[in-house]
Amino acid sequence: MSECSHNCSSCNKDCSERKDFKEKQNELSNIKKVIGIVSGKGGVGKSLVTSMLSVLTKRKGLKTAILDADITGPSIPKLFGLNKRAEAMDDKFLLPVISKSGIEVMSINLLLENENDPVVWRGPVIAGAVKQFWTDVVWNEVDYMFVDMPPGTGDVPLTVFQSLPVDGIVVVASPQELVSMIVGKAVKMANMMNIPVIALVENMSYFECPDCKKKIEIFGQSKVDKTASEFGIKNVAKLPINPEFATLADNGNIEEFTGEYLDNVVDAILSI
């Protein structure tokens, strides 16, 4: 039996002396469910999936929001075509920027003078900014908040898991040989923090020929079902390589996407 190190921030034991690191919402916000979107590595389309899930949930008549926790690589405002800067309220709170369909968004890019300015901050400062997006933003009434996390298992994902009342996560991966190992890191981190894994989404899973409709697995045969089974993940979704997604994202019109690719994931989220 290992002895207590008295460092609750890195301990997954359940004991009477364990500290609660959860940050309280401000009195003007009422966020009911928080869903984290995570990935073991970068470049797999995590922000795209975050955006799509928020849009699909909004289409079901629910109030949704996105907290962009990828401080050094924010892309959510670009996907939604948001150029307006976030405004302050009573010199104490920040107001999120509202998308065309009514999704509330907060991202570091909505606070910068120029969206191309780099955020050159150390880990603790980045983690502090994420906490402030939770405590100092007036989110109003939100049924589902989606948190777009940076890749990996570093400071920010740990801060989100410890500071926010995360109800579950969706893991995003791409069809690569190392997918099992990469997904495993994200899943095991969630398990350490006692957070359920809702679904596994494989982005760039295949390309559908526009003429014959044949599905071509450009990156080789998908292993997502095997990986999901390995880690006990019940819900799996496969996103194709679709030029329409890229066009909508580049033009800030992701709210106009169509397709039933993530419907089962949304249903799983709503059943929490």
Side-chain angles (χ1 to χ4, degrees):
M1 180 181 295
S2 60
E3 295 183 0
C4 179
S5 66
H6 302 288
N7 183 11
C8 296
S9 64
S10 60
C11 174
N12 65 338
K13 297 294 184 181
D14 185 14
C15 64
S16 59
E17 297 181 2
R18 185 170 177 80
K19 299 177 183 177
D20 185 2
F21 289 90
K22 292 291 185 293
E23 297 285 344
K24 293 182 179 179
Q25 298 178 34
N26 61 67
E27 62 271 20
L28 301 175
S29 299
N30 182 22
I31 303 165
K32 298 173 183 175
K33 296 290 182 182
V34 179
I35 309 299
I37 313 300
V38 307
S39 64
K41 65 183 293 294
V44 297
K46 176 176 46 58
S47 297
L48 176 67
V49 172
T50 301
S51 302
M52 287 181 164
L53 290 176
S54 67
V55 170
L56 289 172
T57 307
K58 179 67 177 177
R59 288 176 183 172
K60 288 183 176 291
L62 296 163
K63 297 178 180 178
T64 64
I66 298 178
L67 189 160
D68 189 355
D70 196 350
I71 302 296
T72 59
S75 55
I76 294 296
K78 174 69 174 178
L79 289 164
F80 285 88
L82 301 177
N83 300 309
K84 179 183 176 182
R85 294 186 67 188
E87 298 178 355
M89 173 182 174
D90 298 332
D91 295 326
K92 182 179 179 182
F93 297 113
L94 283 171
L95 296 174
V97 176
I98 311 300
S99 75
K100 290 173 240 181
S101 66
I103 297 172
E104 297 184 9
V105 177
M106 177 52 67
S107 169
I108 195 68
N109 257 19
L110 300 175
L111 301 173
L112 300 177
E113 200 69 46
N114 188 323
E115 66 176 13
N116 294 323
D117 291 342
V119 178
V120 188
W121 295 347
R122 294 190 183 276
V125 179
I126 294 174
V130 172
K131 288 182 183 180
Q132 286 185 286
F133 282 174
W134 173 259
T135 61
D136 296 355
V137 174
V138 178
W139 292 105
N140 300 305
E141 294 285 333
V142 174
D143 294 311
Y144 287 88
M145 170 178 280
F146 295 90
V147 182
D148 185 18
M149 295 198 216
T153 55
D155 281 349
V156 173
L158 181 60
T159 296
V160 171
F161 286 158
Q162 288 185 327
S163 304
L164 276 60
V166 180
D167 295 283
I169 66 166
V170 174
V171 181
V172 183
S174 58
Q176 298 175 341
E177 189 65 34
L178 299 177
V179 65
S180 178
M181 181 190 73
I182 293 168
V183 169
K185 290 180 182 294
V187 171
K188 289 177 181 178
M189 182 178 186
N191 290 339
M192 288 175 62
M193 309 303 294
N194 296 316
I195 296 172
V197 180
I198 301 169
L200 173 59
V201 177
E202 182 180 64
N203 189 27
M204 300 177 284
S205 183
Y206 61 89
F207 174 76
E208 184 176 283
C209 176
D211 296 323
C212 67
K213 302 302 179 183
K214 179 181 178 180
K215 293 182 179 179
I216 304 168
E217 294 178 315
I218 294 177
F219 296 105
Q221 186 175 2
S222 173
K223 301 177 181 65
V224 67
D225 292 310
K226 179 181 177 182
T227 301
S229 177
E230 178 182 348
F231 294 104
I233 303 173
K234 297 180 180 179
N235 302 292
V236 174
K238 299 179 181 180
L239 272 178
I241 298 172
N242 189 336
E244 180 187 359
F245 294 162
T247 300
L248 291 173
D250 289 342
N251 294 332
N253 295 321
I254 197 61
E255 289 162 291
E256 299 176 10
F257 87 92
T258 58
E260 301 175 351
Y261 313 106
L262 297 175
D263 284 2
N264 67 315
V265 178
V266 173
D267 291 339
I269 290 172
L270 300 187
S271 68
I272 295 176

